Amino acid sequence: MPRGLVRAAAFVGAAAACQAALMIGLGLLITGPARHLWPITVEDGVNRGLERLRTPTLTTLSSVGSQMGNTLTVVVVTLAACLVLVLVPRLPLWRQASFLALAVSLQSLVFLVVTIAVERQRPEVHRLDGSLPTSSYTSGHTGAATALYGGLAVLALTRLRGPWRRVVAAVLLLLPLVVGVSRLYRGMHHPTDVLGGLVNGGLSLLVVGQALLRDARVSAPVAGTAHAGRAGRRPGRVAVVVNPTAIDGGKRAELRKVLARHGHREPVFLETTAADPGGGQTAQALGSGAELVVVCGGDGTVRAAADRLAGSGVPLAIVPCGTGNLLARNLGLPLAPAEALNAALGGTTRAVDLARVEGDGIPATHFAVMSGVGLDAAMMQYAQEHHRAKAVLGWPAYVLAAPKAMRGPRMRLSVRLDGAEPLRGTARMVLVGNTGALQGGLRLIPDARPDDGLLDLLMLDPRGPGGWLRTLGALLPHRGRDGRKGAGLRRGGQLEFHTFRRAEFTFESPQPREIDGDPVGSGRRLSVEVAPGALTVLVPDLEG
C-alpha cells in the first residue's frame, strides 16, 4: 500500500477508537452518575411535552424528517453522491467520494459499538415508529444524517463556487437537526441521545476529513479547468535551482537520494544569487534542454523560476525552503523539502494559472500567488528591512511589522476590471490573488483557485478600532466573504471581493507594492492579467 494511504488508515483507526471510547464514556456517564443531575432529570418531561404537541400535520412532517435519516435513505443517497463525484467531473473525485463513504461508514460502526456498550431504554411515551432492539443512545438516524448531509455540505463549500454554495451548505447542515427533532417528536430518543448522534456524526466527519481532505482543502482543482496527468515519466535531464542560503549540504544530499529513487541520477544543481533569485538559472536550464526543473527556495525563488517557465510546458517541482512557501501550501505539498520532492515526483502534473503584472518601475513579469498594494506591501518592506527578525522568526515577522504599517494613510484609487467603467474609492490594502490560502490554513481570499482562469481581488478598508475588529472577525473565524462580488468600491466599506481577468489600478499617490512577498518599490500604477494554465507543476496525487 502507498505510504500515505497506510498513514491515513492508521490515523483513522486510532482516531475511531478514541471516538468510540469518548462516546461510550459519555453514554455511561448519562446512564450512570449523571442520571440524577440536570439536565438529564428533565429529559422525560421534554419527551412528554412533545407527545402532547402531536397533531396529524406535525406527525406527517416528522415522518418525512425521520425518513431522511433511516438506513435505506442514507445508503441510497451516499451511493448516488459517490457515483456523481466519480462519474460527472472531468477528473473523478475519488478522494471526496471516499471521504463521504468512509465518514458515513465510520459513524455507523461507532454507533453499533456504542449501542452494545451502553444500554439505555427508550423514552416512556407512545412511540410512533417500530425499532430494533438497540439502545436508545445514541440516535443512529441523527448520526447518519450528520455524517451524510454534513459531508455533502463540506464538499459543497470546497468544490462549488459562488455565494450560493453557502446556501446549499446551510440547507444541508439543517437536515441533521430536522432528523433529530423528528426523532424526538416521534418518541424514539431522549434529547441527549440526539445530541450524541450529532456529536458522533460530527466526529466522524472530522476524523475522515483530517485523513483525506486536509491537503485537498486548498489544492482541489475546479472540474474542467485544470489538466492533470501522471507525473511518472521516463527520466530526463533534470535541473535543480537552489537557494544556497536555504539548502545546506545535508538537505542537498537528501534531495539527490529522492531524485535517484525516481530515476533521476544526474541532476544539475544551479545556485541562485542575490542579483539573480532564480530566473537566469531557470533560463539556463531550459537552454540546456532540461525536461524537469526543481526549485528549492521560497516564494520569491519559485516566482522567478515560474516567470521563465511560463508557457514552456516544462514541469516545475517545488521544494519549499522559504519563509512563507505559499504556493507549496496552496498546492497541497508537504513543507519538509525531501517529502515535498518525493510527493511531487510521485504525483501528477497540473496546469495552473499565472498572473502577468507590470507597472511604473515594474517590468512585465509573472506571479503565482499574490500581489498587493498598501498595507501588506508595507509589512513586507518593513520585514525585509529587519531581515534578522525575519530570519529568526520566519513569517511571524510580518505580523510584528503590521502595527507600523497600519499607521500609514489610506489610499485613494480607481480600478478598471475587464474594461468596465472605473471604480473609485479608498482602501488600506489591495490584494490580487491567484491562490487564497496563507499560513495556518487561513483562506484570506476564500474563492481563489489557481486553475480557474480567473484572478480574485480583495480590497480592505476598515475605519477605526471597531472597523479593524469587524474586519478581522470576518477574515479569521469565518474565513468567508463580507462583501459582494462586483459591488464596486464603497465609501466606508470594510471588505470587497471581485473576480476578473484583467485589472488596471491607478493610485492618487505612490504606494508600496509587493509581488509574491517581495517588495518591488512604490508606484502609482499596476496592471494585472491572468495567464490561464501557463505553468505546469508537479503536485501530490490527492485523488489516488
Side-chain angles (χ1 to χ4, degrees):
M1 295 175 65
R3 186 171 58 181
L5 185 58
V6 172
R7 189 161 44 232
F11 171 80
V12 171
C18 294
Q19 177 182 338
L22 173 63
M23 298 306 302
I24 291 172
L26 292 174
L28 294 177
L29 179 65
I30 291 171
T31 58
R35 68 180 182 276
H36 300 304
L37 301 177
W38 187 92
I40 310 302
T41 54
V42 301
E43 287 194 299
D44 290 338
V46 172
N47 288 110
R48 288 192 293 269
L50 290 173
E51 184 181 28
R52 290 192 295 268
L53 291 175
R54 290 175 182 171
T55 65
T57 300
L58 291 178
T59 298
T60 300
L61 292 175
S62 71
S63 177
V64 175
S66 181
Q67 291 296 319
M68 289 191 296
N70 71 16
T71 301
L72 180 60
T73 301
V74 170
V75 170
V76 170
V77 174
T78 302
L79 289 176
C82 290
L83 287 175
V84 168
L85 290 169
V86 171
L87 299 178
V88 172
R90 180 179 176 184
L91 298 176
L93 303 180
W94 290 106
R95 184 172 292 253
Q96 285 73 14
S98 300
F99 158 72
L100 188 63
L102 187 56
V104 173
S105 301
L106 176 59
Q107 182 283 144
S108 300
L109 177 62
V110 174
F111 162 73
L112 291 175
V113 173
V114 171
T115 56
I116 293 172
V118 180
E119 295 184 2
R120 190 182 197 190
Q121 297 298 319
R122 295 189 183 272
E124 295 181 356
V125 297
H126 174 63
R127 295 191 288 274
L128 299 179
D129 295 325
S131 60
L132 295 173
T134 56
S135 170
S136 179
Y137 175 90
T138 64
S139 171
H141 281 63
T142 307
T146 303
L148 171 58
Y149 303 118
L152 290 174
V154 170
L155 297 181
L157 288 172
T158 56
R159 302 302 307 183
L160 301 179
R161 288 184 62 83
W164 53 271
R165 65 179 183 154
R166 294 189 176 88
V167 176
V168 173
V171 171
L172 289 168
L173 290 174
L174 281 176
L175 296 182
L177 299 178
V178 171
V179 173
V181 171
S182 298
R183 298 300 285 170
L184 287 176
Y185 175 90
R186 301 181 72 78
M188 303 307 297
H189 295 285
H190 305 277
T192 48
D193 302 334
V194 170
L195 182 60
L198 292 170
V199 173
N200 187 31
L203 287 176
S204 298
L205 289 173
L206 180 62
V207 168
V208 180
Q210 283 293 312
L212 297 183
L213 298 185
R214 186 175 182 178
D215 294 328
R217 285 179 305 203
V218 178
S219 58
V222 179
T225 60
H227 169 73
R230 296 300 305 174
R233 55 176 62 82
R234 289 185 304 170
R237 183 172 298 180
V238 176
V240 184
V241 178
V242 297
N243 182 339
T245 63
I247 294 288
D248 57 22
K251 290 182 180 178
R252 190 174 298 201
E254 290 181 4
L255 297 180
R256 285 185 182 274
K257 290 180 181 179
V258 174
L259 287 166
R261 191 184 312 145
H262 288 270
H264 306 290
R265 302 188 182 279
E266 296 182 1
V268 177
F269 281 75
L270 304 172
E271 293 189 352
T272 66
T273 64
D276 189 344
Q281 294 80 0
T282 304
Q284 179 183 342
L286 292 175
S288 63
E291 298 177 31
L292 169 65
V293 175
V294 179
V295 175
C296 310
D299 285 317
T301 306
V302 172
R303 185 195 67 79
D307 180 52
R308 295 302 180 95
L309 289 171
S312 69
V314 175
L316 167 67
I318 301 172
V319 178
C321 301
T323 303
N325 302 314
L326 293 184
L327 183 57
R329 294 173 189 271
N330 279 271
L331 294 176
L333 285 162
L335 297 184
E339 291 184 18
L341 181 57
N342 185 64
L345 294 177
T348 66
T349 58
R350 181 177 176 189
V352 301
D353 306 331
L354 291 175
R356 185 178 185 277
V357 58
E358 62 180 323
D360 48 334
I362 303 176
T365 186
H366 293 88
F367 68 85
V369 182
M370 298 178 184
S371 177
V373 183
L375 174 62
D376 74 313
M379 291 167 57
M380 304 297 177
Q381 182 175 337
Y382 182 82
Q384 188 179 65
E385 293 170 355
H386 296 77
H387 57 89
R388 289 185 178 179
K390 180 180 176 182
V392 173
L393 298 177
W395 66 264
Y398 298 132
V399 179
L400 296 179
K404 181 178 179 179
M406 289 169 62
R407 291 197 292 267
R410 58 176 30 90
M411 307 175 289
R412 297 195 64 84
L413 73 151
S414 69
V415 54
R416 183 190 298 270
L417 301 177
D418 294 329
E421 288 297 316
L423 308 171
R424 296 179 173 83
T426 61
R428 288 283 188 182
M429 181 177 78
V430 171
L431 191 66
V432 175
N434 184 44
T435 63
L438 302 180
Q439 292 88 348
L442 170 65
R443 291 197 64 81
L444 186 62
I445 308 178
D447 287 346
R449 298 289 185 272
D451 53 7
D452 60 359
L454 297 170
L455 297 174
D456 286 69
L457 170 64
L458 163 64
M459 292 180 288
L460 186 73
D461 192 24
R463 296 176 182 266
W468 282 105
L469 289 175
R470 287 190 295 272
T471 299
L472 290 175
L475 288 174
L476 296 178
H478 305 295
R479 290 170 169 82
R481 287 188 168 179
D482 187 28
R484 295 177 300 156
K485 179 164 56 177
L489 288 169
R490 300 173 300 178
R491 293 188 178 276
Q494 295 178 20
L495 275 174
E496 297 280 347
F497 291 88
H498 304 260
T499 58
F500 65 91
R501 291 179 174 82
R502 178 177 175 82
E504 300 174 17
F505 300 90
T506 304
F507 303 92
E508 191 174 78
S509 60
Q511 301 296 330
R513 299 169 295 184
E514 60 88 7
I515 299 176
D516 276 358
D518 290 331
V520 291
S522 297
R524 296 184 60 247
R525 186 178 63 82
L526 199 71
S527 63
V528 188
E529 184 173 7
V530 67
L535 182 66
T536 302
V537 187
L538 301 187
V539 297
D541 185 3
L542 299 179
E543 303 300 338

